[in-house]
Amino acid sequence: AELSVEIVDLCPIAGKILERLRKLEPRRKVVVVLPEKLEVRGDSRMLTLVLENLLGNAWKFTGRKDEARIEVGAEAGEGGPVIFVRDDGAGFDPLHADKMFTPFHRLHRDDEFPGTGIGLATVQRIIQRHGGT
């Protein structure tokens, strides 16, 4: 689809996604850190897909923690701001980081965490279409 670029505040989008995730598992203890505002230029629908994938992963991979932490924010980078989703979940072996964005390649076994292996590849394509990395 063609990009419909506008100023998008990622915080309310992230908040709604996390609210839906909390409703699915209301007993989970998850500390969520969101800035007051996090504006970017981009396609709102596609950026929502990015956040759904990244926050869904953060939620999934922190599922075994008694109290998890998920953070959305920005920090200064060499080419401009770097937007991030961080969590304190299972993580991955850095030796396999080059395969993270390969479609259908998973860094965890199916019996550890469910998934198709397409989420991060989708995120990467959307971010690249926006001119980012």
Side-chain angles (χ1 to χ4, degrees):
E2 182 123 359
L3 291 178
S4 176
V5 177
E6 60 187 327
I7 299 293
V8 179
D9 186 352
L10 299 176
C11 291
I13 297 169
K16 288 176 185 172
I17 293 165
L18 288 162
E19 188 178 306
R20 283 195 306 265
L21 291 168
R22 280 189 194 278
K23 285 181 180 176
L24 294 173
E25 295 182 76
R27 293 180 184 217
R28 281 204 50 200
K29 293 180 183 172
V30 180
V31 174
V32 173
V33 179
L34 290 174
E36 215 171 282
K37 188 180 276 194
L38 185 55
E39 291 183 332
V40 297
R41 288 187 50 77
D43 184 293
S44 178
R45 292 171 307 149
M46 289 192 180
L47 293 174
T48 297
L49 288 173
V50 166
L51 286 174
E52 285 173 347
N53 276 288
L54 295 178
L55 291 169
N57 278 356
W59 191 268
K60 173 173 47 176
F61 291 112
T62 59
R64 296 184 178 163
K65 293 192 65 97
D66 291 335
E67 185 171 314
R69 179 182 172 92
I70 297 174
E71 182 179 359
V72 177
E75 53 194 26
E78 289 182 25
V82 176
I83 310 302
F84 63 82
V85 174
R86 288 186 185 139
D87 66 74
D88 61 355
F92 60 91
D93 185 340
L95 293 173
H96 303 291
D98 60 325
K99 297 177 181 152
M100 281 183 70
F101 299 102
T102 303
F104 305 109
H105 186 86
R106 303 197 51 224
L107 299 180
H108 296 277
R109 294 186 328 263
D110 285 340
D111 63 342
E112 290 180 301
F113 298 99
T116 62
I118 195 70
L120 290 180
T122 301
V123 166
Q124 183 182 47
R125 289 190 67 180
I126 292 171
I127 297 303
Q128 286 173 340
R129 285 205 53 207
H130 281 80
T133 57

